Amino acid sequence: MTTTAYAALLSLARSIHQILDLDPLIHKQRIISLQEKVESIITFLEDYSEKHRGTHDRVGNEIRNAANEAQDFMDSYLCLVSTTHDALSLDRDLDMAFERIDFIWEEAMEIMKKDDTAKDLRSRTHSSRIDHSSGAQVTGNKVVEFDDDLDAIKESMYEDSSKLQIIPIVGMGGIGKTTLARRTYEDSIRAQDFDIYAWATLSAEYKKVDTLSKLLQSLKKYTSTDANQQSGESEAQMAKRVYQSFLGRRYLVVIDDIWSTKAWDDLKMIFPDDGSGSRILLTTRLSDVAVYAGSSTTSFHQMKFLTEDQSWKLLEEKIFGQESCPLHLVELGKMVARNCRGLPLTIVVVAGLILSSGNMMEEEL
């Protein structure tokens, strides 16, 4: 996959995160589904495009163009949500964004078709006439039951300390960091453990002003001030507004996908440590960032790869639902699961491609 295609997909993912920070949000479940699909495609292509460099020029350009078009529709959606709330226009923009993402999904299948092992499993699964409507749904809301990870994070969050605690979650792309942070965050909102909540997704292309804007947008429902940057407002003034929103309150903040110690140095001063027992979850791919940002009293949480057995069980569940895999497909399925390198999102994407390949297989036959 070309660098420009990858950058276009990352930009699209950031836009979707920004929309999810809005409250109240129309079409929330559809947008979460779109978010999960885009992030899964990114993770999948990071792996598979390296194996099939010959597809880069054509497929990379098509993915870039489709991602840019989807970005335009999501930007239009964001503008409409912030202004007119025109239901017909909102539906149209969201439908068009889904159409372009579905096209990228199909391009991902083109890459996967070059993987002989996965192609063989698709062929045999199709010939076994598995009923794909039996209830095996590929969704990202619970990619994996991160029960042990969730328990560890919550233990750190709820330890008896009034000091601000920074809790980093570390692991490579596709291993489930954001999913774990999202589950922790949403569980806490349901339990009303904190007074105020905020979420901001960063990226390798970090800009402080963008992060401040995302935090203010996320904090909008807790404050009486306008979340958008006021006319002539400086970055320092935005930072002051964020700080004052947190001051004197017990807050939970997620800083998702932080890439550098400099980014943390830029942000840490906006989080008051006033003895209210506040917590910050950081997700990062870089252990040095986690060590640098983490509280001295807590160690970072390292996400583990799935074992081969766990990978196979997840793939089997996503393809066959409550049914068992036919015996003649088990060995082949385990081979495909091994090739996913223990990454949950990659396994989910591969399962989705296999489940959605019926029409393609009929054409080949």
Side-chain angles (χ1 to χ4, degrees):
M1 183 169 51
T2 64
T3 302
T4 54
Y6 186 66
L9 283 168
L10 288 178
S11 177
L12 175 59
R14 287 196 298 274
S15 293
I16 296 170
H17 275 295
Q18 184 179 0
I19 291 171
L20 281 172
D21 285 338
L22 297 176
D23 187 79
L25 178 61
I26 306 170
H27 305 125
K28 181 174 182 179
Q29 289 306 315
R30 289 195 72 197
I31 294 173
I32 288 174
S33 175
L34 187 66
Q35 173 198 35
E36 291 164 349
K37 202 165 192 177
V38 170
E39 292 180 347
S40 295
I41 290 170
I42 290 171
T43 302
F44 172 76
L45 290 178
E46 282 177 341
D47 182 25
Y48 272 79
S49 62
E50 287 302 310
K51 298 177 182 178
H52 308 296
R53 293 181 181 275
T55 65
H56 276 200
D57 291 341
R58 180 186 67 80
V59 176
N61 288 337
E62 292 178 351
I63 287 174
R64 179 199 62 207
N65 293 337
N68 286 335
E69 290 172 6
Q71 172 89 54
D72 290 341
F73 288 117
M74 295 311 293
D75 288 345
S76 175
Y77 181 94
L78 180 60
C79 181
L80 287 167
V81 167
S82 303
T83 55
T84 65
H85 293 276
D86 182 339
L88 289 176
S89 296
L90 287 169
D91 288 340
R92 177 206 63 202
D93 286 338
L94 197 55
D95 287 343
M96 293 302 293
F98 265 101
E99 180 181 311
R100 303 317 292 150
I101 297 307
D102 285 341
F103 172 81
I104 297 174
W105 189 269
E106 291 168 4
E107 291 299 295
M109 279 199 288
E110 287 296 316
I111 293 175
M112 187 183 173
K113 283 167 66 177
K114 296 182 179 294
D115 186 281
D116 293 335
T117 304
K119 184 176 180 179
D120 195 14
L121 180 59
R122 288 200 308 273
S123 300
R124 297 193 196 182
T125 301
H126 179 71
S127 65
S128 296
R129 301 186 182 279
I130 298 298
D131 180 6
H132 297 321
S133 63
S134 62
Q137 299 296 319
V138 181
T139 63
N141 291 335
K142 282 193 173 182
V143 172
V144 170
E145 293 291 343
F146 294 112
D147 291 337
D148 292 341
D149 297 283
L150 192 61
D151 288 344
I153 295 299
K154 287 184 175 180
E155 183 177 348
S156 297
M157 278 181 55
Y158 300 122
E159 68 176 14
D160 186 18
S161 173
S162 60
K163 290 182 62 64
L164 172 65
Q165 297 292 324
I166 317 300
I167 306 167
I169 303 172
V170 186
M172 69 178 293
I175 204 165
K177 302 183 300 298
T178 300
T179 302
L180 177 60
R182 179 72 67 181
R183 279 194 61 189
T184 306
Y185 185 78
E186 292 179 350
D187 283 356
S188 180
I189 289 175
R190 282 191 291 270
Q192 297 183 333
D193 296 320
F194 294 82
D195 302 323
I196 188 169
Y197 295 84
W199 181 296
T201 298
L202 281 61
S203 72
E205 300 173 9
Y206 160 78
K207 291 182 180 178
K208 184 177 181 180
V209 67
D210 291 341
T211 304
L212 292 172
S213 178
K214 290 175 183 177
L215 287 171
L216 286 169
Q217 186 68 53
S218 190
L219 290 167
K220 183 170 63 173
K221 63 182 176 181
Y222 301 103
T223 63
S224 58
T225 57
D226 183 7
N228 297 317
Q229 186 171 1
Q230 298 174 357
S231 177
E233 187 178 36
S234 67
E235 185 179 281
Q237 289 171 320
M238 294 177 71
K240 183 178 179 180
R241 279 208 286 148
V242 173
Y243 182 88
Q244 290 176 336
S245 296
F246 290 131
L247 191 62
R249 290 167 149 176
R250 188 167 188 254
Y251 58 85
L252 173 62
V253 176
V254 175
I255 303 296
D256 186 31
D257 201 21
I258 186 168
W259 282 77
S260 70
T261 56
K262 181 183 181 304
W264 178 243
D265 283 337
D266 274 352
L267 295 173
K268 63 183 180 182
M269 299 304 294
I270 66 174
F271 301 115
D273 185 3
D274 52 6
S276 59
S278 298
R279 301 292 184 260
I280 299 174
L281 294 180
L282 300 179
T283 73
T284 181
R285 303 184 186 199
L286 307 173
S287 58
D288 61 324
V289 174
V291 171
Y292 182 83
S295 301
S296 58
T297 57
T298 59
S299 58
F300 64 77
H301 182 79
Q302 179 73 54
M303 298 290 292
K304 296 181 176 62
F305 293 100
L306 298 182
T307 65
E308 289 187 6
D309 185 54
Q310 289 171 328
S311 296
W312 164 237
K313 286 181 178 178
L314 178 59
L315 183 66
E316 181 183 31
E317 175 191 342
K318 292 303 178 184
I319 295 176
F320 299 99
Q322 300 301 314
E323 304 295 327
S324 297
C325 175
L327 290 177
H328 68 285
L329 295 177
V330 169
E331 193 57 40
L332 188 59
K334 288 183 176 181
M335 190 180 304
V336 171
R338 281 196 297 272
N339 288 341
C340 292
R341 301 184 302 161
L343 294 171
L345 288 182
T346 301
I347 293 169
V348 170
V349 171
V350 169
L353 295 176
I354 290 170
L355 282 171
S356 63
S357 63
N359 291 337
M360 177 185 71
M361 293 306 307
E362 288 171 4
E363 292 173 4
E364 290 181 358
L365 293 171

